Amino acid sequence: MSDHDHAPVAAHEPPYYVAVFTSVRTEDDAGYGETAERMEELVQQIPGYLGMDHARTPGGLAITVGYFRDEDAIKQWSAHAEHRAAQRRGRTEWYERYTLHVAKVERSHGFERARG
């Protein structure tokens, strides 16, 4: 997941689902950036994938929110072979700890300041 600035994912028509992945990394990040970029490419190919937001605090907590149209899309992503391999490597090399929360979004709205 790249650290470049981007607009947050827009509100979608509910219901849809979010997968919230919070993590604290180890100091070993060999291969992490390349794998994260590959995962970002792959998840975009999942039917029902709606987008992703990502943030990291100075203290090391990272939060990634994936948005999906339905539970089937999340299950497909969870079962993807390359994603599963990355998860295994994450547990052995890159993460001190992580938590995954999956939730159904029932309300959603957004705001964007007018430019100019």
Side-chain angles (χ1 to χ4, degrees):
M1 282 139 263
S2 54
D3 289 334
H4 63 279
D5 293 330
H6 69 281
V9 172
H12 294 280
E13 184 64 32
Y16 59 96
Y17 289 79
V18 292
V20 182
F21 182 75
T22 60
S23 63
V24 175
R25 298 245 316 271
T26 64
E27 292 183 17
D28 179 8
D29 63 354
Y32 180 84
E34 297 86 354
T35 301
E37 285 181 23
R38 176 66 177 154
M39 294 304 103
E40 197 166 343
E41 290 171 10
L42 288 175
V43 73
Q44 292 174 25
Q45 299 170 16
I46 299 293
Y49 170 76
L50 301 172
M52 178 189 308
D53 286 321
H54 179 75
R56 184 180 316 276
T57 69
L61 176 69
I63 302 171
T64 300
V65 182
Y67 302 88
F68 298 87
R69 177 50 54 202
D70 51 37
E71 287 182 284
D72 187 54
I74 292 174
K75 287 176 185 172
Q76 284 186 47
W77 176 234
S78 180
H80 190 284
E82 277 190 68
H83 184 210
R84 295 193 62 82
Q87 290 171 335
R88 285 190 296 275
R89 191 168 178 198
R91 286 190 294 273
T92 60
E93 296 178 41
W94 299 318
Y95 296 116
E96 287 290 339
R97 60 185 168 277
Y98 67 79
T99 305
L100 175 66
H101 308 272
V102 176
K104 182 178 182 180
V105 176
E106 297 183 6
R107 284 191 309 252
S108 183
H109 68 275
F111 166 81
E112 186 171 340
R113 185 171 307 281
R115 303 278 182 214

